Amino acid sequence: YAAEGNGDQFNHSHGSIAVSFAKLDVMELTKSVTFAAEYATLYLGYKVAIPAGVEAYVLTGVNPTWVELTQLNNVIPANTAVILKKTGTANSYNFYYTSDEADDVKTNYLEGSIADRYITEDAYVLTADTNVEYGVCFGLATKNQANGSAFKNNANKAYLPATSVASLSASL
């Protein structure tokens, strides 16, 4: 127990101890997302504030023809795959770590990867499509051209496992 301090020297009930202080660089957890279209996906291992000009959604319902999205408020929880909608005019937005409380996400059929990951089961990825109402849809992921066994889900991106679509469609 250090009671009194003077520089690097502290007194305590059992004599004196020498303490050294060193400034540590704190890693700033930030992810920049560049939107090629109005929508993107994101998956991070830490919670981040949702910047102005962006909305974030989890996927709470799905069948072969539609998905149900639920909007998050202010914070994306850690390890939560989301669909981002650009509502502002910038093409790039920064997502900063926050200690603020995050929404409790009970249902989310999206999955994500912190690092590049090869997915061997069938899955859907967010795809631009001018033939649909909102210009975006989930398209079947393109398998590896060399052996057709997996697709690469890039780091910090989300996808929809085909098993989620099949099991939810069967229960309707």
Side-chain angles (χ1 to χ4, degrees):
Y1 175 74
E4 296 178 28
N6 181 5
D8 288 344
Q9 193 72 29
F10 285 86
N11 298 318
H12 62 83
S13 60
H14 299 289
S16 295
I17 59 171
V19 178
S20 294
F21 293 95
K23 183 178 178 186
L24 297 175
D25 290 330
V26 177
M27 184 172 83
E28 187 173 312
L29 297 175
T30 305
K31 176 66 179 163
S32 180
V33 174
T34 300
F35 286 79
E38 187 178 357
Y39 292 89
T41 64
L42 182 64
Y43 182 84
L44 297 171
Y46 52 93
K47 60 184 175 175
V48 292
I50 301 168
V54 177
E55 295 173 350
Y57 298 87
V58 291
L59 199 153
T60 53
V62 62
N63 77 31
T65 58
W66 55 263
V67 295
E68 180 181 332
L69 302 175
T70 300
Q71 187 172 358
L72 298 177
N73 298 307
N74 304 320
V75 176
I76 300 170
N79 304 309
T80 302
V82 295
I83 296 172
L84 302 174
K85 180 181 180 189
K86 181 177 84 160
T87 58
T89 57
N91 288 327
S92 184
Y93 293 87
N94 289 322
F95 291 77
Y96 294 100
Y97 168 81
T98 183
S99 59
D100 293 345
E101 290 297 316
D103 290 337
D104 184 24
V105 176
K106 292 181 181 9
T107 304
N108 186 13
Y109 293 103
L110 294 172
E111 293 186 17
S113 306
I114 290 177
D116 288 353
R117 180 175 159 210
Y118 287 90
I119 310 298
T120 56
E121 57 272 355
D122 286 338
Y124 296 91
V125 292
L126 202 60
T127 306
D129 186 343
T130 57
N131 296 318
V132 296
E133 183 177 353
Y134 296 103
V136 66
C137 66
F138 280 97
L140 191 59
T142 304
K143 298 286 185 163
N144 181 315
Q145 297 296 330
N147 61 18
S149 66
F151 83 92
K152 180 180 172 186
N153 192 58
N154 292 329
N156 306 122
K157 294 295 182 183
Y159 65 95
L160 174 63
T163 53
S164 294
V165 177
S167 64
L168 288 169
S169 298
S171 67
L172 294 176

